[in-house]
Amino acid sequence: GLSGFPIADVVRSSQSLGGEQCGRLRLGPPPVQRHGFFLLIRPATGRFAGIASCELALPHNTSTQPPQHHLFVCASHTMFGFLLPKAEEPPFTLERPRFDQSSFSGRLRHFLDMTDPSTLFVGSAELSRSLTLLEDFARTGRVPEGVSDADMWRARKVRDSTVHPDTGKTVFMPFRMSGFVPFGSVTVVGMLLPHQTAASTAFWQWANQSHNAAVNFANRNASSPVSTGQFFASYCGAVGGAVGVALLANRAIERASSLSAATQGLLKRFVPLPAVATANVVNVYLMRGRELESGITVTDAEGQDRGMSRAAARAAVFDTALTRVFLPVPVLFIPPAVMHQLEKLPALQRSPRLRLATHAAVCIAAFGAALPVAIALFPQQGSIKADNLEPEFRDIRGSDGRRVDTFFYNKGL
């Protein structure tokens, strides 16, 4: 190896693109394993022979880090490549999420996990094994023998994406959070179709809000259930708001005689954005009306429960409504803007089928990529000054005897 770092062992290697398997080279004990990708060069000719993906075992050295670039001789090839940085798994716990929720990157990785559609294909055997691992950990407080932290985080991901946390029952696949993008893409594509009639506009807005309502109901908090009347009122308000705004916006655009037909067509493509944003705001205020009356829990910086506050509830509901206004922006703004340019291509102008397929692909790609990013922009924990709360919160002392100036609350999504 370079830099005086000998290679101990090529533990496992994939078949190279050149069609040859790397050999096994042992120069010492193999205590540290690292993954790497390597270019294979034939020494005799100096020509590129392929790419190999290998697990390398390196000698442990507490004073020196292994170099990132290496030159190895392995079987009939000279291998030059790099080692991937080792991904450190956080110690497994059931008390907090896997990724840090105080940073954007941590929230993004968390929501990518939540919306990962690959968990839709988890079979009953893997689900049963995951539940068993988590039950063993909850009972003993230790990771089972022979199981890694990564295995435990995978088990928790499988459980959280498949099983309702309150009822313990499996959530119907189309209504899981991991199925939100695959199944919700149908209504997103429908809402963004060009040249819609009033009837088709109303239908797709109704379909979208119905899907959202089904997802909310399937993942509701069963320990503090929302009444059937409240849920129905929220659903009707969201559907009415979405359909009403969409139809009124289309009507206003059509009556704008100063706009050309092309400009009117372009503006109509963006109508779903204000319609969905309006429905989201109506939904938040109708579904969380009880919180505005009774208040929500606020905590201090040490996480200690300090009581219920209606002022914090108003701030939480407002923050959530503002978040819901922004969430559909990338999903419903990017596809119309992109398709407006792509439809100028001769190939799309000649083929309606290709144009429809391209439209669907752009919508699904924007939905899948933009949704986790949009959600991750806003932390779930909000803060509020004591002076903006009820009088009973303005003279609370912390464990150090000092006045608590800032309180925290979970604003929701």
Side-chain angles (χ1 to χ4, degrees), residues 264-279:
Q264 288 183 355
L266 177 61
L267 291 177
K268 283 185 176 182
R269 287 190 161 194
F270 295 96
V271 164
L273 179 55
V276 172
T278 301

mmCIF file of all heavy atoms in Angstrom, residues 264-279:
data_model
loop_
_atom_site.group_PDB
_atom_site.id
_atom_site.type_symbol
_atom_site.label_atom_id
_atom_site.label_comp_id
_atom_site.label_asym_id
_atom_site.label_seq_id
_atom_site.Cartn_x
_atom_site.Cartn_y
_atom_site.Cartn_z
ATOM 1 N N GLN A 264 -53.081 32.423 -21.039
ATOM 2 C CA GLN A 264 -54.145 31.856 -20.212
ATOM 3 C C GLN A 264 -53.905 30.365 -19.958
ATOM 4 O O GLN A 264 -54.073 29.872 -18.832
ATOM 5 C CB GLN A 264 -55.502 32.047 -20.893
ATOM 6 C CG GLN A 264 -56.005 33.477 -20.882
ATOM 7 C CD GLN A 264 -57.380 33.609 -21.511
ATOM 8 O OE1 GLN A 264 -57.931 32.645 -22.036
ATOM 9 N NE2 GLN A 264 -57.944 34.808 -21.474
ATOM 10 N N GLY A 265 -53.488 29.648 -20.993
ATOM 11 C CA GLY A 265 -53.197 28.222 -20.836
ATOM 12 C C GLY A 265 -52.067 27.979 -19.863
ATOM 13 O O GLY A 265 -52.108 27.032 -19.064
ATOM 14 N N LEU A 266 -51.036 28.845 -19.929
ATOM 15 C CA LEU A 266 -49.903 28.699 -19.015
ATOM 16 C C LEU A 266 -50.323 28.966 -17.580
ATOM 17 O O LEU A 266 -49.964 28.210 -16.658
ATOM 18 C CB LEU A 266 -48.776 29.653 -19.423
ATOM 19 C CG LEU A 266 -47.545 29.682 -18.516
ATOM 20 C CD1 LEU A 266 -46.884 28.311 -18.462
ATOM 21 C CD2 LEU A 266 -46.538 30.738 -18.996
ATOM 22 N N LEU A 267 -51.100 30.027 -17.355
ATOM 23 C CA LEU A 267 -51.532 30.370 -16.001
ATOM 24 C C LEU A 267 -52.429 29.286 -15.404
ATOM 25 O O LEU A 267 -52.370 28.992 -14.209
ATOM 26 C CB LEU A 267 -52.255 31.712 -16.005
ATOM 27 C CG LEU A 267 -51.395 32.947 -16.283
ATOM 28 C CD1 LEU A 267 -52.254 34.207 -16.329
ATOM 29 C CD2 LEU A 267 -50.296 33.095 -15.230
ATOM 30 N N LYS A 268 -53.268 28.672 -16.237
ATOM 31 C CA LYS A 268 -54.154 27.620 -15.738
ATOM 32 C C LYS A 268 -53.375 26.422 -15.202
ATOM 33 O O LYS A 268 -53.870 25.692 -14.336
ATOM 34 C CB LYS A 268 -55.105 27.175 -16.849
ATOM 35 C CG LYS A 268 -56.248 28.141 -17.106
ATOM 36 C CD LYS A 268 -57.209 27.567 -18.143
ATOM 37 C CE LYS A 268 -58.404 28.478 -18.351
ATOM 38 N NZ LYS A 268 -59.366 27.911 -19.322
ATOM 39 N N ARG A 269 -52.187 26.213 -15.730
ATOM 40 C CA ARG A 269 -51.379 25.083 -15.260
ATOM 41 C C ARG A 269 -50.953 25.239 -13.809
ATOM 42 O O ARG A 269 -50.664 24.261 -13.130
ATOM 43 C CB ARG A 269 -50.130 24.937 -16.133
ATOM 44 C CG ARG A 269 -50.418 24.386 -17.512
ATOM 45 C CD ARG A 269 -49.138 24.031 -18.221
ATOM 46 N NE ARG A 269 -49.378 23.118 -19.322
ATOM 47 C CZ ARG A 269 -48.434 22.450 -19.942
ATOM 48 N NH1 ARG A 269 -47.170 22.564 -19.538
ATOM 49 N NH2 ARG A 269 -48.719 21.646 -20.948
ATOM 50 N N PHE A 270 -50.895 26.482 -13.345
ATOM 51 C CA PHE A 270 -50.448 26.727 -11.968
ATOM 52 C C PHE A 270 -51.617 26.859 -10.993
ATOM 53 O O PHE A 270 -51.407 27.086 -9.807
ATOM 54 C CB PHE A 270 -49.582 27.997 -11.917
ATOM 55 C CG PHE A 270 -48.288 27.877 -12.670
ATOM 56 C CD1 PHE A 270 -48.183 28.341 -13.970
ATOM 57 C CD2 PHE A 270 -47.185 27.274 -12.084
ATOM 58 C CE1 PHE A 270 -46.989 28.227 -14.674
ATOM 59 C CE2 PHE A 270 -45.996 27.156 -12.773
ATOM 60 C CZ PHE A 270 -45.900 27.624 -14.077
ATOM 61 N N VAL A 271 -52.848 26.722 -11.473
ATOM 62 C CA VAL A 271 -54.028 26.842 -10.611
ATOM 63 C C VAL A 271 -54.038 25.819 -9.476
ATOM 64 O O VAL A 271 -54.468 26.141 -8.354
ATOM 65 C CB VAL A 271 -55.317 26.739 -11.460
ATOM 66 C CG1 VAL A 271 -56.542 26.475 -10.588
ATOM 67 C CG2 VAL A 271 -55.508 28.026 -12.247
ATOM 68 N N PRO A 272 -53.588 24.548 -9.692
ATOM 69 C CA PRO A 272 -53.605 23.594 -8.577
ATOM 70 C C PRO A 272 -52.825 24.051 -7.355
ATOM 71 O O PRO A 272 -53.152 23.648 -6.231
ATOM 72 C CB PRO A 272 -52.978 22.333 -9.185
ATOM 73 C CG PRO A 272 -53.297 22.421 -10.643
ATOM 74 C CD PRO A 272 -53.209 23.882 -10.966
ATOM 75 N N LEU A 273 -51.827 24.897 -7.541
ATOM 76 C CA LEU A 273 -51.007 25.340 -6.401
ATOM 77 C C LEU A 273 -51.822 26.121 -5.376
ATOM 78 O O LEU A 273 -51.870 25.728 -4.196
ATOM 79 C CB LEU A 273 -49.815 26.141 -6.898
ATOM 80 C CG LEU A 273 -48.873 26.709 -5.829
ATOM 81 C CD1 LEU A 273 -48.363 25.608 -4.918
ATOM 82 C CD2 LEU A 273 -47.697 27.431 -6.490
ATOM 83 N N PRO A 274 -52.476 27.222 -5.742
ATOM 84 C CA PRO A 274 -53.285 27.928 -4.720
ATOM 85 C C PRO A 274 -54.464 27.095 -4.228
ATOM 86 O O PRO A 274 -54.879 27.244 -3.075
ATOM 87 C CB PRO A 274 -53.753 29.193 -5.443
ATOM 88 C CG PRO A 274 -53.666 28.882 -6.891
ATOM 89 C CD PRO A 274 -52.498 27.948 -7.029
ATOM 90 N N ALA A 275 -55.001 26.218 -5.082
ATOM 91 C CA ALA A 275 -56.130 25.391 -4.652
ATOM 92 C C ALA A 275 -55.716 24.428 -3.553
ATOM 93 O O ALA A 275 -56.397 24.310 -2.520
ATOM 94 C CB ALA A 275 -56.685 24.615 -5.854
ATOM 95 N N VAL A 276 -54.600 23.743 -3.741
ATOM 96 C CA VAL A 276 -54.118 22.785 -2.739
ATOM 97 C C VAL A 276 -53.661 23.513 -1.480
ATOM 98 O O VAL A 276 -53.914 23.060 -0.359
ATOM 99 C CB VAL A 276 -52.983 21.926 -3.320
ATOM 100 C CG1 VAL A 276 -52.349 21.062 -2.236
ATOM 101 C CG2 VAL A 276 -53.504 21.046 -4.443
ATOM 102 N N ALA A 277 -52.979 24.652 -1.642
ATOM 103 C CA ALA A 277 -52.526 25.418 -0.472
ATOM 104 C C ALA A 277 -53.715 25.868 0.373
ATOM 105 O O ALA A 277 -53.677 25.794 1.610
ATOM 106 C CB ALA A 277 -51.700 26.622 -0.925
ATOM 107 N N THR A 278 -54.775 26.335 -0.275
ATOM 108 C CA THR A 278 -55.980 26.750 0.451
ATOM 109 C C THR A 278 -56.591 25.585 1.209
ATOM 110 O O THR A 278 -56.972 25.704 2.384
ATOM 111 C CB THR A 278 -57.012 27.342 -0.523
ATOM 112 O OG1 THR A 278 -56.444 28.473 -1.192
ATOM 113 C CG2 THR A 278 -58.271 27.767 0.208
ATOM 114 N N ALA A 279 -56.700 24.438 0.530
ATOM 115 C CA ALA A 279 -57.266 23.246 1.169
ATOM 116 C C ALA A 279 -56.433 22.831 2.372
ATOM 117 O O ALA A 279 -56.974 22.409 3.410
ATOM 118 C CB ALA A 279 -57.351 22.104 0.165
#
